Amino acid sequence: MEARQHDIHNRSRNRKNNGAPSNASRNRPTHKNSQPMRRRQESSQNYDEKQLTNSLHELCISRNLIESSEGIQKRRRVMKELDSMLCRWCSALSTGEDANSTAPPSLLSFGSYRLGVHTPDADVDCLVLAPPHVTREDFFGGWVDVLKRDERVSELHPVASAYTPVIKFQMESVKIDLIFAQINNAQWLSEHAIKSAYIQNVSDGKLSSDYLDEVQEVEVDETLLIGLDQPSIRSINGVRVAQFLLSSVGRNTTQLENFRLTLRTIKEWARVHGLYSNVLGFLGGVNWAILVCWICQKNPDAAPSALLRMFFRRFSTWEWPTPVRIAKQTPFADRGDLPVWDPVNNFRDAKHLMPIITPCYPSMNSSYNVGEPQLRRIREELSRASKLCYDVSRGKTTWEALFEGNSFFTQHATYLQVDITSTNEDDFRAWFGLCEARMRLLIVGLESPSHGIRAYPFAKFFHRRPSADDQSPFVASFFIALRFAGSVQRLDLGPLVIDFLQVVNSWETRKNTMDLIMNIVSQQNLPSFVLEEEERAISSTPSNTRDQQLVTDVSYDVESATTPISSSIGRKSHCDSATSSPLEFTSPLKRTKMNSK
């Protein structure tokens, strides 16, 4: 019986498929009638995306993310003058005996300025391609002296020992980060000297768009890598990556502008939420640019509003450490021996948590600094932004929600405040540079599941000077939120911060004017400068996760590493959540002040 019923069912189904249409198919619109409906729906969607993109662009303008035409003209004028200064300096170093000595240097930009997404207060990243007779020692010696003698130059800070050596300074208030590479191909420099100008039509001031006429620069290819050392290769690849990104997303003007608007928005979002800093173990400009480029490659015709939604949705669910790649690479025949990112054969590469791979040979992980605390915060904020973008697309909120004051300073109970101070401005600049570069050691140390503690760093330094008094110190404050397991009743910070303190306390050029102060601060005692105006009303309201702590203020200036320093923090006995604080902190901190508030 069952077989007979099954046969009847099959014959009936065949009749429906091969015979007259069913009732459901009769009621379904025909292809002819459905075409106008689809066009109307697509037109409505395109209109919505256009409106959302327009409002996004207006928001970027209102937040001062796009520099004025006058500001860009000033940058280009400064760059042109800097190029002339470099040419005169290199010429002065020439002995005149070697034809190669006559080759002029080439000044190239990269980073946000080259991509056309810089803000009015952003620095300009520049690379000096120097002829063979100019060395890195000359660059950090004689060239620094040239800058010191120029009255237009201020805040000069050469960092020759950095992973990528750099000279930081301001010229006519334009911030510049200048790096160096000596290339062996003087002929290449001579042939391309006329193309190294940064400015087109500056004399008549004609500007074609928000980003002006596209910056015309020398195209750097991999042949220049021949004979270079590792610092020079890293320096040149900064320029090559910027050029690749522009060529990859800029098949036409619309696609290029879509990439730029999307990247501007992402970068501002990351800054607001304390996620923007490569040196602190988060993501920097090149990292965010590669991620946005990946989205643009997959969706070349999408509007910026749609690209934003795709960006947050895709990377909030990305399965790290699966690497993000935007190009396949093949080794350059003449320099095929260069080390590349290889997690299979390199155990250090295999430990990277969030690999974002540079597109130019030799490939590198541009986000090797990212640690577990930073990745945790990035994931949380990406997920939150993805939900907000969905609400924007449904008209439930506006783009402003992406940039509203973040909740970092209201969602944790306890924070470690690190104050870097000095009474002398030049000393402060050097001292701050060292502490900033080593801050990841502190974050890594505080992330200690075995001690029942997790660290949540916020990628921003709050610079201030308490008063205009000449004796008032220069201060930069950094914050790390701390969360504890409920069983933690006493925490010894000494073993957790010792690596960081040994590095900063043993710095050979440290002076008596340079201090480091650590404060354990409960949420209700956070300094007012960490809160944006729109957040202050929220922060004054009791939080559900806030410990109601009775805090005893203490201050220590520790000179001995053998005497333990403790500060007792009382709390309600039933407070044992992940945001609670231990009853007691202790720390032997040599030459470091330890406070608890």
Side-chain angles (χ1 to χ4, degrees):
M1 177 66 69
E2 290 180 0
R4 185 166 178 260
Q5 288 177 343
H6 181 70
D7 184 57
I8 293 172
H9 172 72
N10 285 340
R11 288 199 301 271
S12 174
R13 185 175 58 185
N14 291 336
R15 282 196 300 270
K16 288 181 180 180
N17 291 340
N18 300 323
S22 65
N23 291 336
S25 63
R26 288 193 200 98
N27 296 331
R28 190 180 301 121
T30 63
H31 178 74
K32 180 179 179 180
N33 294 331
S34 64
Q35 284 291 82
M37 183 180 297
R38 274 201 297 270
R39 283 197 294 267
R40 285 195 296 270
Q41 291 174 345
E42 292 172 359
S43 177
S44 176
Q45 291 173 354
N46 291 338
Y47 175 78
D48 291 342
E49 295 296 356
K50 184 176 181 180
Q51 288 293 97
L52 288 172
T53 295
N54 288 340
S55 63
L56 188 62
H57 185 263
E58 292 171 0
L59 181 60
C60 286
I61 294 175
S62 67
R63 294 187 68 87
N64 198 30
L65 302 182
I66 301 177
E67 188 168 41
S68 65
S69 299
E70 294 76 13
I72 296 183
Q73 285 190 63
K74 180 179 180 180
R75 286 178 187 266
R76 293 186 167 182
R77 177 173 53 78
V78 168
M79 295 295 292
K80 186 176 183 180
E81 178 56 29
L82 185 61
D83 192 23
S84 299
M85 291 172 61
L86 282 164
C87 288
R88 292 193 296 269
W89 172 68
C90 286
S91 179
L93 292 177
S94 173
T95 61
E97 298 176 357
D98 190 343
N100 288 338
S101 301
T102 61
S106 183
L107 185 63
L108 306 176
S109 66
F110 61 101
S112 62
Y113 175 75
R114 183 69 182 91
L115 295 177
V117 296
H118 65 282
T119 56
D121 61 345
D123 54 22
V124 180
D125 296 308
C126 301
L127 166 68
V128 179
L129 287 179
H133 72 282
V134 180
T135 66
R136 184 171 284 107
E137 289 71 24
D138 294 327
F139 182 68
F140 283 96
W143 172 246
V144 170
D145 292 337
V146 170
L147 294 176
K148 287 180 179 178
R149 292 192 297 267
D150 196 306
E151 60 183 13
R152 297 167 298 178
V153 174
S154 62
E155 299 190 20
L156 178 62
H157 182 50
V159 190
S161 60
Y163 181 67
T164 301
V166 61
I167 299 176
K168 296 175 175 286
F169 61 97
Q170 289 190 26
M171 186 170 179
E172 296 185 26
S173 75
V174 175
K175 299 175 184 176
I176 297 173
D177 283 2
L178 195 62
I179 60 177
F180 175 90
Q182 179 197 58
I183 63 174
N184 298 323
N185 195 338
Q187 182 179 357
W188 183 93
L189 285 174
S190 298
E191 291 175 352
H192 291 81
I194 194 171
K195 298 180 181 179
S196 64
Y198 282 81
I199 307 171
Q200 272 194 334
N201 301 326
V202 170
S203 58
D204 58 16
K206 293 181 179 179
L207 308 173
S208 62
S209 67
D210 289 338
Y211 308 102
L212 314 180
D213 294 328
E214 291 300 322
V215 177
Q216 301 298 310
E217 294 187 357
V218 177
E219 290 294 323
V220 178
D221 58 42
E222 57 193 8
T223 59
L224 290 185
L225 302 179
I226 299 174
L228 300 187
D229 57 13
Q230 285 296 325
S232 294
I233 291 174
R234 288 194 294 269
S235 298
I236 286 180
N237 268 359
V239 173
R240 295 178 64 215
V241 168
Q243 292 176 349
F244 179 92
L245 291 171
L246 289 174
S247 63
S248 178
V249 301
R251 297 190 185 100
N252 58 60
T253 302
T254 299
Q255 291 178 348
L256 181 58
E257 295 304 314
N258 289 346
F259 165 78
R260 283 171 166 162
L261 181 55
T262 305
L263 182 54
R264 282 186 188 277
T265 306
I266 296 295
K267 288 171 58 129
E268 176 68 358
W269 165 82
R271 278 189 288 262
V272 168
H273 295 282
L275 308 173
Y276 192 94
S277 175
N278 186 272
V279 70
L280 293 174
F282 288 89
L283 302 185
V286 67
N287 312 125
W288 294 116
I290 291 174
L291 294 181
V292 172
C293 180
W294 189 92
I295 291 293
C296 290
Q297 285 180 337
K298 304 297 181 183
N299 309 275
D301 298 320
S305 55
L307 290 170
L308 271 182
R309 290 196 303 274
M310 297 172 188
F311 178 92
F312 287 119
R313 183 172 65 245
R314 189 68 187 89
F315 290 116
S316 64
T317 59
W318 190 270
E319 295 183 0
W320 304 106
T322 303
V324 174
R325 298 179 184 270
I326 59 175
K328 294 182 179 180
Q329 296 185 34
T330 55
F332 176 47
D334 293 326
R335 286 304 305 268
D337 59 331
L338 295 175
V340 298
W341 187 75
D342 182 6
V344 175
N345 299 306
N346 188 322
F347 74 94
R348 291 186 180 87
D349 291 348
K351 293 181 178 180
H352 292 170
L353 300 179
M354 194 179 185
I356 302 172
I357 310 305
T358 56
C360 302
Y361 177 80
S363 62
M364 304 175 188
N365 177 17
S366 63
S367 52
Y368 70 92
N369 277 349
V370 175
E372 189 60 47
Q374 295 89 337
L375 178 57
R376 183 167 55 243
R377 283 212 62 231
I378 292 172
R379 278 173 165 161
E380 291 175 356
E381 294 296 344
L382 284 170
S383 179
R384 177 175 175 270
S386 180
K387 295 175 182 177
L388 285 174
C389 284
Y390 178 83
D391 289 343
V392 171
S393 68
R394 295 298 182 268
K396 296 180 180 180
T397 187
T398 61
W399 291 120
E400 283 83 353
L402 273 179
F403 308 118
E404 286 176 354
N406 67 85
S407 59
F408 178 82
F409 291 104
T410 60
Q411 65 181 189
H412 305 280
T414 307
Y415 299 81
L416 181 66
Q417 176 180 342
V418 183
D419 289 341
I420 303 163
T421 73
S422 180
T423 54
N424 178 277
E425 185 174 4
D426 291 335
D427 290 348
F428 172 76
R429 191 176 298 113
W431 177 231
F432 171 78
L434 173 86
C435 292
E436 180 189 32
R438 302 295 184 266
M439 196 61 68
R440 283 187 298 116
L441 289 175
L442 178 62
I443 298 170
V444 169
L446 291 172
E447 176 72 12
S448 180
S450 62
H451 288 80
I453 180 173
R454 279 188 170 181
Y456 291 77
F458 189 79
K460 179 179 179 180
F461 284 92
F462 296 84
H463 290 262
R464 67 194 192 283
R465 199 174 187 188
S467 70
D469 185 352
D470 290 341
Q471 299 303 315
S472 178
F474 296 87
V475 184
S477 298
F478 182 71
F479 292 84
I480 304 172
L482 304 176
R483 290 197 173 195
F484 308 92
S487 60
V488 176
Q489 296 295 309
R490 185 178 185 276
L491 180 64
D492 183 2
L493 290 181
L496 306 183
V497 301
I498 190 64
D499 289 342
F500 170 70
L501 292 175
Q502 283 181 341
V503 170
V504 297
N505 285 334
S506 62
W507 190 38
E508 293 181 354
T509 56
R510 182 174 179 179
K511 301 179 181 179
N512 292 331
T513 60
M514 303 173 178
D515 280 323
L516 185 72
I517 304 171
M518 289 187 176
N519 302 311
I520 300 171
V521 187
S522 62
Q523 185 193 110
Q524 61 264 39
N525 287 330
L526 282 169
S528 60
F529 60 77
V530 304
L531 304 173
E532 299 291 341
E533 289 295 333
E534 65 269 20
E535 291 183 275
R536 289 179 181 171
I538 300 175
S539 65
S540 63
T541 303
S543 170
N544 292 332
T545 61
R546 178 182 298 172
D547 291 337
Q548 303 302 316
Q549 298 173 325
L550 174 64
V551 181
T552 302
D553 290 341
V554 291
S555 178
Y556 298 94
D557 189 356
V558 183
E559 295 296 341
S560 173
T562 60
T563 304
I565 303 305
S566 66
S567 58
S568 296
I569 301 180
R571 60 172 187 178
K572 295 192 296 185
S573 59
H574 66 270
C575 185
D576 59 357
S577 68
T579 59
S580 64
S581 301
L583 289 173
E584 185 176 356
F585 291 97
T586 67
S587 181
L589 306 175
K590 184 178 180 181
R591 288 195 65 194
T592 301
K593 295 179 181 179
M594 187 72 182
N595 300 336
S596 178
K597 298 181 180 179

